[in-house]
Amino acid sequence: MAILTLVMALVPGGESISGYFADNSLLLANGRNVVNVILVDFRALDTLGEITVLAVAALGVSALLRAGVRQAEGPGASSGTESGRKGS
């Protein structure tokens, strides 16, 4: 495994794509800020996917926190009334 890692480290990489984005950000996307153009235009679906993952994770954390609060309060505490008592 170490030999494979060393061999792959010596293999030259491909061409850099940064020149493509710098040259085409204004022509193809009408934007002067290359970073914004990459995130919003060239990689829009990828960015949307990342936002979706973050939103689902936030919903999961929120659900876990609510479940923990309900469990700490005990059964029947979420209704706001005391169950089992009559005529007070």
Side-chain angles (χ1 to χ4, degrees), residues 29-88:
N30 297 321
R32 297 186 189 282
N33 188 335
V34 177
V35 174
N36 285 343
V37 168
I38 290 171
L39 290 177
V40 176
D41 288 331
F42 294 134
R43 295 185 59 204
L45 290 177
D46 183 47
T47 303
L48 179 64
E50 291 169 359
I51 291 170
T52 304
V53 167
L54 289 174
V56 169
L59 287 173
V61 168
S62 174
L64 287 173
L65 290 174
R66 287 183 188 161
V69 168
R70 287 186 191 136
Q71 187 177 19
E73 291 176 351
S78 62
S79 66
T81 61
E82 294 183 34
S83 59
R85 293 189 178 210
K86 293 185 179 182
S88 5

